[in-house]
Amino acid sequence: MISAISSYVRRLMLVLPVLLCSCMNVIKPSREFPSYSVPAAPDYAQPTNWAALPTRVDAADVVPTRSGLHDQQATAPADVFFVHPTTYLGRAGWNADLGNKQINHITDLSTMRRQASVFNGTARIYAPRYRQATLFSFFDEQTNNGTQAINLAYEDVKSAFQYYLAHYNQGRPIILAGHSQGTRHLTQLLRDFFEHDPALRRQLVAAYLVGFNVPDSTLQAIRPCADSTQTGCYVAWNTVDWGQEYAPYQHSTVTNPLTWTCDTTTALASLNRGGISYSFNKVDTAVVDAKAHNGLLWIHRPQSYGYPRFLLPGRPELSHSFHLVDYALFYMNIRQNAAARVRAYERQARQ
């Protein structure tokens, strides 16, 4: 069963750009947001409403085959609160139903396996399921239906984080990490919980705000990380073909995940410790270089198979996006960086 689902997810992720390019209206809900029944809110006391928990076997526990990596959550010194990206492409409503097993399987075997697992060497992984907004919500420029869907999704993420703090955290260091829609919600979570709470900020190892626009002015107390071991800060990037520009993101924070700085120096591919393609069966060393430019992370296209671009209909300016593989291209660098920041946090705590 797992093998069949994994095969389905792999095919979905590879053909998704083609499907989207055919017509965006295919995934547009046919009615206004208020005309749909809102899916039941999750109870986070129920383990089934979490995509990953460190106390059970789940997709966030895996590591790429032939990688030499190991899941070390049992002895991990920190926690990661991970919010997954959009895996709901449907039009049956503006928000996903947590009872939809197919969506949950896609979430588990794509984002839990290929993104959240990057942290299982240094942190216990807590990843809530939530009534995520459908993909079309982020391209709904004519109505406020998308905004309402996104706001509903955030209420779940907020509720999950409150439950996590009250029942799971026990004062441990926290990494926040997400991608795309997940990053959008985590940015709001930082504003609502961390910006005005010095005690909670002292627990923050770092936030990995990947795959969404995070303007430099978004947060005031929590600032972009200056180097690879700074704590209490955040990193962010959006990966695109070398030489591309995208005006809406020109003020976005961009961290180079090969150097962990925000300067515009080109980092050679030799600094890339390894990408993990959709096959999830090997480490592709030196898979891409990277350079921060105007709110984007430039890369030269990988020669290795399994790092698809994300093509959006009617938006040729985004046709060079590597959004789907923002984590995959730098998997080993992210994994090592999370460990380095946790070690730095522990040293500071002992002083």
Side-chain angles (χ1 to χ4, degrees):
M1 177 65 174
I2 293 296
S3 176
I5 293 169
S6 180
S7 176
Y8 166 76
V9 171
R10 185 163 55 252
R11 292 196 304 271
L12 171 68
M13 299 306 284
L14 291 175
V15 303
L16 180 59
V18 177
L19 293 175
L20 287 177
C21 281
S22 62
C23 184
M24 198 67 169
N25 286 334
V26 170
I27 59 171
K28 177 182 179 181
S30 58
R31 305 197 307 273
E32 300 293 300
F33 178 88
S35 69
Y36 287 99
S37 297
V38 176
D43 174 6
Y44 288 110
Q46 302 301 315
T48 54
N49 289 324
W50 294 84
L53 287 172
T55 53
R56 66 162 193 234
V57 175
D58 52 50
D61 301 342
V62 301
V63 296
T65 54
R66 303 200 301 272
S67 66
L69 302 177
H70 302 280
D71 173 28
Q72 299 181 37
Q73 292 183 73
T75 58
D79 294 344
V80 59
F81 185 81
F82 183 90
V83 185
H84 69 77
T86 307
T87 56
Y88 173 46
L89 313 181
R91 60 194 305 268
W94 287 90
N95 294 83
D97 188 331
L98 269 67
N100 188 312
K101 293 182 179 180
Q102 185 180 49
I103 296 173
N104 292 341
H105 280 311
I106 293 171
T107 300
D108 295 347
L109 293 176
S110 58
T111 66
M112 291 299 108
R113 185 174 183 236
R114 296 188 176 97
Q115 295 181 340
S117 69
V118 77
F119 297 101
N120 67 25
T122 197
R124 303 188 305 189
I125 301 172
Y126 296 89
R129 302 194 190 281
Y130 63 101
R131 291 171 295 177
Q132 56 177 295
T134 188
L135 180 63
F136 185 82
S137 301
F138 293 89
F139 304 97
D140 180 22
E141 299 171 339
Q142 305 301 318
T143 75
N144 69 345
N145 291 312
T147 298
Q148 293 180 80
I150 293 167
N151 289 343
L152 176 66
Y154 173 67
E155 288 305 310
D156 284 357
V157 172
K158 178 179 178 180
S159 176
F161 187 68
Q162 289 171 320
Y163 188 89
Y164 158 77
L165 286 179
H167 298 276
Y168 291 139
N169 174 251
Q170 299 179 332
R172 288 162 57 88
I174 301 170
I175 295 171
L176 298 179
H179 184 248
S180 196
Q181 178 171 175
T183 285
R184 189 272 181 210
H185 298 317
L186 283 179
T187 303
Q188 184 65 47
L189 198 75
L190 283 165
R191 283 196 293 259
D192 289 350
F193 286 83
F194 290 80
E195 280 281 275
H196 306 292
D197 187 338
L200 194 55
R201 282 203 304 277
R202 285 193 291 272
Q203 287 183 251
L204 181 64
V205 176
Y208 291 77
L209 306 179
V210 183
F212 205 80
N213 188 10
V214 185
D216 182 66
S217 59
T218 301
L219 301 166
Q220 302 304 315
I222 301 167
R223 304 302 300 151
C225 299
D227 57 39
S228 63
T229 59
Q230 184 181 353
T231 61
C233 53
Y234 72 90
V235 298
W237 67 86
N238 291 275
T239 316
V240 301
D241 260 333
W242 196 279
Q244 298 305 309
E245 303 279 355
Y246 186 47
Y249 277 42
Q250 64 181 312
H251 298 297
S252 186
T253 300
V254 54
T255 307
N256 189 324
L258 299 184
T259 63
W260 301 106
T261 64
C262 294
D263 64 41
T264 59
T265 303
T266 298
L268 299 179
S270 59
L271 294 175
N272 191 312
R273 296 182 178 274
I276 306 293
S277 74
Y278 275 113
S279 64
F280 209 70
N281 63 2
K282 62 186 177 71
V283 177
D284 294 317
T285 56
V287 65
V288 290
D289 53 4
K291 173 183 172 65
H293 176 85
N294 246 9
L296 301 172
L297 185 70
W298 284 359
I299 64 166
H300 288 99
R301 293 189 184 184
Q303 299 303 305
S304 300
Y305 177 78
Y307 301 93
R309 287 177 295 135
F310 189 34
L311 309 178
L312 296 176
R315 294 177 177 268
E317 73 277 12
L318 299 182
S319 63
H320 299 282
S321 170
F322 282 91
H323 182 71
L324 293 175
V325 289
D326 279 321
Y327 270 80
L329 288 164
F330 309 102
Y331 188 97
M332 295 298 289
N333 291 75
I334 300 168
R335 190 178 182 92
Q336 293 186 6
N337 181 251
R341 291 192 197 275
V342 169
R343 288 194 299 269
Y345 182 96
E346 291 181 306
R347 286 195 300 269
Q348 294 164 10
R350 291 193 294 267
Q351 292 175 357

